[in-house]
C-alpha cells in the first residue's frame, strides 16, 4: 500500500509489489504512470507519503547501507566536474565493495572512452553509456536502470544488453529496468511489472506475458 503524493496529486497510490531476489524485472508503463517515482522510492531518494517499503530488509530512505548496496542509473546522474572519467572509476571502486575494475576497463575500451575526458564533455548517448558502465561494474545487490539507453545508438544498446546479461549470469543480483525499448529487452527479462496511474496492473513471469494478449491484423474495410 505504498503511496507518494506531490501536492494533491498521487504519483503512486496504494501500490503493493514484491520483487524476488536475483531476478531481472522489467518495469513498464506510460509516461506519468509512476515508474520513476517507484524507482526513486526503492533507491531511497524519496520518502513515501504513506505505506511501507523495505529494500534488502531495511527502509531505504536516507540509509547508507542501501546506498552502498544498491544503485539507481538514470539521466539525472551528477558527477563532480573536477574529476575525469578515469578518476570517477577510481572513486566508484573505493565506494562499492564489489566493484569490478577489470570489467570497467574492458567496457571503457569497447565503447571507446578516454580516461582523461570529463563527464560534462560527453554527448547524451555517451553519458548514458558511461552511466551503464557504473551500474554494471558496481556489482551491488540491487541495480536499478531508469531509461538507461537514452541517446544510445541501437548497436550500442545491443552491446549493453549483452554485457548486462553476461555479467548477470556470472554474478546474479536483482536488476530492475524501466525502458521504452521493452521489445529489445524481452530476452533479458524474467518478470514484467505493469503500472498505470500509480497502481500495479500486472506482475507476471515473462513467459506468461508473451501469452497474455494477441494482436489481430488485416485489411481495413469501410
Amino acid at each position: 500500500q505504498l503511496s507518494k503524493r506531490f501536492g494533491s496529486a498521487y504519483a503512486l497510490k496504494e501500490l503493493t509489489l514484491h520483487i524476488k531476489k536475483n531476478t531481472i524485472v522489467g518495469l513498464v508503463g506510460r509516461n506519468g504512470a509512476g515508474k520513476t517515482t517507484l524507482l526513486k522510492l526503492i533507491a531511497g531518494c524519496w520518502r513515501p507519503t504513506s505505506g511501507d517499503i523495505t529494500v534488502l530488509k531495511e527502509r531505504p530512505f536516507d540509509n547508507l547501507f542501501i546506498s552502498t548496496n544498491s544503485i539507481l542509473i538514470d539521466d539525472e546522474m551528477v558527477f563532480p566536474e573536477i574529476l575525469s572519467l578515469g578518476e570517477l572509476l577510481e572513486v566508484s571502486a573505493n565506494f562499492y565493495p564489489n566493484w569490478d575494475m577489470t570489467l570497467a576497463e574492458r567496457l571503457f575500451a569497447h565503447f571507446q572512452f578516454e580516461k582523461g575526458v570529463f563527464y560534462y564533455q560527453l554527448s547524451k548517448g555517451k553519458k548514458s553509456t558511461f552511466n551503464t558502465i557504473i551500474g554494471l561494474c558496481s556489482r551491488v545487490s540491487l541495480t536499478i536502470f531508469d531509461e538507461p539507453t537514452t541517446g544510445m545508438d541501437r548497436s550500442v544498446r545491443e552491446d549493453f544488453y549483452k554485457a548486462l546479461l553476461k555479467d548477470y549470469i556470472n554474478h546474479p543480483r536483482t536488476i530492475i529496468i524501466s525502458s521504452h525499448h521493452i521489445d529489445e529487452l524481452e530476452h533479458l527479462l524474467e518478470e514484467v511489472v505493469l503500472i498505470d496511474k500509480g497502481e500495479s496492473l500486472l506482475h507476471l513471469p515473462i513467459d506468461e506475458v508473451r501469452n497474455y494478449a494477441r494482436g489481430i491484423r488485416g485489411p481495413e474495410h469501410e
Side-chain angles (χ1 to χ4, degrees), residues 18-23 168 173-174:
H18 177 254
I19 294 176
K20 292 185 292 186
K21 181 180 179 181
N22 295 342
T23 56
Y168 171 76
R173 64 266 208 191
T174 306

Side-chain angles (χ1 to χ4, degrees), residues 19 48 54 114 126 154 175 181 209:
I19 294 176
T54 304
E114 297 180 10
K126 277 286 192 177
R154 185 181 181 91
I175 299 176
H181 299 287
V209 174

Side-chain angles (χ1 to χ4, degrees), residues 58-76:
E58 297 196 18
R59 293 185 176 180
F61 181 71
D62 198 22
N63 187 318
L64 182 59
F65 172 79
I66 298 301
S67 296
T68 55
N69 287 279
S70 67
I71 189 169
L72 170 61
I73 303 297
D74 61 13
D75 60 4
E76 297 180 357

Side-chain angles (χ1 to χ4, degrees), residues 16-216:
T16 296
L17 180 67
H18 177 254
I19 294 176
K20 292 185 292 186
K21 181 180 179 181
N22 295 342
T23 56
I24 302 181
V25 179
L27 182 61
V28 184
R30 298 177 181 178
N31 288 336
K35 301 188 302 297
T36 295
T37 299
L38 174 59
L39 296 180
K40 286 186 177 292
L41 289 171
I42 293 173
C45 301
W46 292 342
R47 187 198 301 270
T49 302
S50 62
D52 188 48
I53 177 169
T54 304
V55 177
L56 305 177
K57 299 182 179 180
E58 297 196 18
R59 293 185 176 180
F61 181 71
D62 198 22
N63 187 318
L64 182 59
F65 172 79
I66 298 301
S67 296
T68 55
N69 287 279
S70 67
I71 189 169
L72 170 61
I73 303 297
D74 61 13
D75 60 4
E76 297 180 357
M77 297 187 74
V78 178
F79 297 100
E81 292 189 357
I82 62 171
L83 298 181
S84 66
L85 298 183
E87 290 170 330
L88 290 175
L89 294 186
E90 294 174 3
V91 170
S92 299
N94 290 330
F95 185 77
Y96 296 107
N98 296 322
W99 177 267
D100 189 334
M101 186 61 82
T102 300
L103 176 61
E105 292 182 347
R106 188 162 69 243
L107 292 175
F108 236 54
H110 178 80
F111 291 112
Q112 300 180 344
F113 283 100
E114 297 180 10
K115 290 187 176 182
V117 172
F118 292 86
Y119 185 78
Y120 65 85
Q121 296 175 315
L122 301 177
S123 66
K124 180 67 173 179
K126 277 286 192 177
K127 286 180 178 178
S128 294
T129 305
F130 180 80
N131 295 347
T132 59
I133 291 175
I134 297 293
L136 287 176
C137 297
S138 63
R139 290 253 177 87
V140 288
S141 300
L142 172 61
T143 305
I144 304 170
F145 292 105
D146 188 7
E147 298 293 344
T149 59
T150 301
M152 289 185 189
D153 295 335
R154 185 181 181 91
S155 61
V156 178
R157 295 199 303 268
E158 290 176 350
D159 286 346
F160 161 62
Y161 302 147
K162 291 176 183 176
L164 186 153
L165 182 58
K166 182 178 180 181
D167 202 60
Y168 171 76
I169 292 172
N170 293 328
H171 303 276
R173 64 266 208 191
T174 306
I175 299 176
I176 306 173
I177 308 177
S178 172
S179 174
H180 285 102
H181 299 287
I182 200 68
D183 55 322
E184 298 178 0
L185 291 168
E186 183 179 344
H187 67 290
L188 297 176
L189 303 179
E190 296 170 84
E191 296 183 355
V192 171
V193 174
L194 171 64
I195 64 174
D196 185 46
K197 298 179 181 178
E199 300 180 10
S200 177
L201 301 183
L202 176 150
H203 183 189
L204 292 172
I206 187 65
D207 291 338
E208 293 186 31
V209 174
R210 291 192 183 102
N211 298 319
Y212 192 78
R214 290 289 184 269
I216 299 176

